[in-house]
Amino acid sequence: WMLEHDGHMLEIDIFDTPPDLVLLEVELTHPDEAVALPDWIGPLKDVSEDARYTNAELARSVAARHVAAREPGAAHEATAADH
């Protein structure tokens, strides 16, 4: 999702994997620039410097989960865990 708010373009990414991950990205013209966020946005954690949240790392995480789900026995284990 993309939306403009208070002169900034906000990009909101909602992920299925990892579950419940929602990222809000704001492009700044300089690092100390103040950003006013909409009231409906809840508590945030700044992950700007956290390597786990780079596009490359998120893509690796999703790919690894898809590969693991296709391995023999994965469907059986998931089904057994549901009982």
Side-chain angles (χ1 to χ4, degrees):
W1 299 88
M2 299 281 293
L3 65 111
E4 190 277 330
H5 179 76
D6 198 38
H8 288 97
M9 187 57 69
L10 309 179
E11 181 177 345
I12 302 170
D13 295 318
I14 302 170
F15 293 82
D16 292 326
T17 305
D20 302 321
L21 176 63
V22 178
L23 295 179
L24 169 69
E25 183 176 345
V26 182
E27 294 294 331
L28 306 175
T29 56
H30 58 84
D32 298 327
E33 184 175 355
V35 176
L37 298 175
D39 293 337
W40 51 264
I41 293 181
L44 299 173
K45 175 184 174 185
D46 185 355
V47 296
S48 300
E49 303 299 323
D50 190 331
R52 295 175 298 174
Y53 296 96
T54 63
N55 287 336
E57 188 59 35
L58 289 169
R60 270 192 289 277
S61 172
V62 170
R65 289 172 196 246
H66 286 294
V67 169
R70 291 186 202 165
E71 291 179 355
H76 175 68
E77 291 169 13
T79 303
D82 291 338
H83 293 289

